[in-house]
Amino acid sequence: MISIRQRKGIQTTEVSEDYTAQEENVKLEDKLPSSCTNRRLWKILSFTVGGTVALCVGLLTSVYLATLHENDLWFSNIKEVEREISFRTECGLYYSYYKQMLQAPTLMQGFRGLIYDNKTESMRTINLLQRMNIYQEVFLSILYRVLPIQKYIEPVYFYIYTLFGLQAIYVTALYITSWLLSGTWLSGLLAAFWYVTNRIDTTRVEFTIPLRENWALPFFAIQIAAITYFLRPNLQPLSQRLTLLAIFISTFLFSLTWQFNQFMMLMQALVLFILDSLDMLPAMKVTWLYGIQLTGLLLVCMLQFFNSMILGSLLISFNLSVLIARKLQKNLKTGNFLNRLGKLLLHLFVVLCLTLFLNNIIKKILNLKSDEHIFKFLKAKFGFGATRDFDANLYLCEEAFGLLPFNTFERLSDTLLFYAYIFVLSITVIAALAVAFRNLSDSANQQSMCKMGKYTIGLKPDTAYNLIHTILFGFLALSTMRMKYLWTSHMCVFASFGLCSPEIWELLLKLIHLYNPKRIYIMRYSIPILILLYLCYKFWPGMMDELSELREFYDPDTVELMNWINANTPGKAVFAGSMQLLAGVKLCTGRTLTNHPHYEDNSLRERTKAVYQIYAKRAPEEVHALLRSFGTDYVILEDSICYERRHRRGCRLRDLLDVANGHMMDGPGENDPDLKLAGHPRFCEEIKKNLPSYTAYFTRVFQNKTFHVYKLSRNK
């Protein structure tokens, strides 16, 4: 069975002495049983064992994560309100729409409630299906209502088990991608082990279950696996069509389930652009992939009632620009090295200019400002000028949007993943540079990737794609910690593939003049097995201890607040407060909100900044007027924000508001010279003194150690 793994790897190798099918068969005959029937039986056995292991590993990972979630919260034993509070920040907002659909008298009324929603943003009716990516909640609620399962499983468990089930699909897709690249399912097993042992850095599903990325990333992993298979040479027409269908469906589902899909697929489009420009991928296949991205995104745009943020995305502008530029520059891949390099630079310039031009035109036509905050954040993050913009600074000051911490690499090194990744990355980068230089130097206009096998160094298209993919997403993760989950999971795939790949070992052994087919065979199996044994020895006891450690959800102050709101306020009351808390208010009480954490709307960002003046230095009459302009009946103040110590000076919410308002910040430290002393004390501190100037507008109706709720007077 082991020998079969090796043959599968060699069968798809492009770094051998000859690329033709006949000579590959000669190599196979040297190692496989001479009988064709025996070869088929071995392949069937290999596929069966590898597939069974993939399914088992995926299911075990799902059960492991679900058990951790249960053990951490004692989810099965806590009250319903506590379960809902455990869905923190935007997670609670998304889950509330699943709950809303289940509570609707009919499905049609549920749909209508989402399309004409007036409870998520007070004094405004919005189409939630247009604004947010919540089709998954709609689909799950329909399934729960239609299937005869209500007697056997609670709605919340149906929801969370679906997400943990997707994790099984996620790990299986990573396993298959590594298997496809290396030719042995042993690499898939190693990728899955690395994913689990590096759980802190590869997933956060067990404590942020409804987060959009937990829905989307499994489909993204399926798409990468399908693209990896699609880029193999000499696919049969039927296999190619089925693979294209798999790519389209996974791309569509990925786009439908995450609002940041366009930025991830833009990175993917850049991967295709780089490889196509360097003649490392078949041009026709690249065109198909561009087309699938555009089609999938436009279909999602239609389902989201022509969401302007999608139409104005850089991805659509970039893909159109690339396709136009390729038509304009038909002779891009001809000439000597300097000629082709000049054409390539011109091509890059044309695509860049066209992209910016098209994107600017589309945004002006649509009057689009939904993604303005993202570009302000990026501009400030990469040092293109300091900013006092409240929204940009709100992102800049969050740890999740900062640089990837150095201790991440310490944890990844502890499992040997980082060392293996750097080893494989170094070798493949050398091979890629050699192939790219050769392609640019080829005056004979070598279009066919099959001819690469005639050279000493080569790189298969699927390997080249995954190489540039891991590099670009690596840069993304290094610059923004929240995006590390896109990179670290692919690190597991790429590192495991390299250690089990005959091409990688062949290239390395040839470079150090130790090449021998038997050595390749030994290296590609012995090293992964030794690493698997090391991981089991070092991390198995810790995982068992983790599974035996029992905790319990405990947040009495928030539970008390939600119970009070349910018992003492009208069902139509409007609440103002922090975005994170209000998502929980929406889920637990169904009350109307002034603002919420889904930040991809310009008017909502302006509204949030206005509501947050409760933590700024503003007069009580000014705060009252602002809150009443949104129909606010109650405002919730949080001591954890008013007296915040989690962030450094300059990054506390009250500091961001002071700077945005032109006021000097509190505490010791420097202030910009143009900032002035505020004319009023901080509202959230002063209101607790019950001074007449405040009680005329606000009446305290609830308080505990964490929260203070004030009812607004209706006096103008």
Side-chain angles (χ1 to χ4, degrees), residues 576-599:
S578 70
M579 295 183 288
Q580 296 82 0
L581 179 63
L582 289 186
V585 171
K586 172 78 168 61
L587 172 58
C588 298
T589 71
R591 300 304 190 264
T592 304
L593 314 179
T594 56
N595 54 306
H596 55 82
H598 195 273
Y599 218 49

Side-chain angles (χ1 to χ4, degrees), residues 94-129:
Y94 298 133
Y95 182 80
S96 73
Y97 301 122
Y98 170 72
K99 180 180 176 181
Q100 182 178 322
M101 281 291 292
L102 291 178
Q103 291 177 343
T106 65
L107 283 174
M108 289 308 298
Q109 285 179 279
F111 270 115
R112 185 174 178 80
L114 295 178
I115 295 172
Y116 302 99
D117 178 89
N118 54 15
K119 294 183 76 67
T120 302
E121 294 177 18
S122 59
M123 302 183 71
R124 185 183 294 168
T125 299
I126 61 173
N127 184 344
L128 292 169
L129 294 177

Side-chain angles (χ1 to χ4, degrees), residues 98 101-102 107 136-150 158 162:
Y98 170 72
M101 281 291 292
L102 291 178
L107 283 174
Q136 50 268 50
E137 276 75 23
V138 173
F139 177 70
L140 270 195
S141 63
I142 293 172
L143 273 185
Y144 188 80
R145 295 179 69 138
V146 170
L147 296 175
I149 57 175
Q150 290 86 352
F158 183 66
T162 300

Side-chain angles (χ1 to χ4, degrees), residues 239-250:
S239 297
Q240 187 162 299
R241 291 192 200 100
L242 291 175
T243 308
L244 283 170
L245 179 62
I247 294 171
F248 172 75
I249 292 172
S250 55

Side-chain angles (χ1 to χ4, degrees), residues 220 223 227 247-248 250-256 258 260-273 289-290 292-298 300 310 313-316 318-319 465 469 472-473 476 486:
F220 194 50
Q223 186 220 44
I227 290 174
I247 294 171
F248 172 75
S250 55
T251 300
F252 167 71
L253 292 174
F254 170 69
S255 302
L256 189 66
W258 197 16
F260 294 133
N261 60 75
Q262 52 180 291
F263 302 105
M264 302 308 107
M265 288 204 294
L266 177 62
M267 300 289 288
Q268 200 172 50
L270 288 172
V271 174
L272 297 173
F273 176 74
L289 294 175
Y290 281 138
I292 285 174
Q293 282 191 332
L294 283 171
T295 308
L297 203 59
L298 290 174
V300 170
I310 296 176
S313 67
L314 274 173
L315 175 67
I316 289 180
F318 178 78
N319 282 12
Y465 170 81
H469 178 103
L472 291 191
F473 278 91
L476 180 65
L486 289 154

Side-chain angles (χ1 to χ4, degrees), residues 519-533:
R519 286 198 183 102
I520 292 177
Y521 183 87
I522 293 169
M523 298 297 283
R524 71 181 293 227
Y525 288 110
S526 61
I527 291 181
I529 290 172
L530 288 172
I531 292 175
L532 284 169
L533 292 173

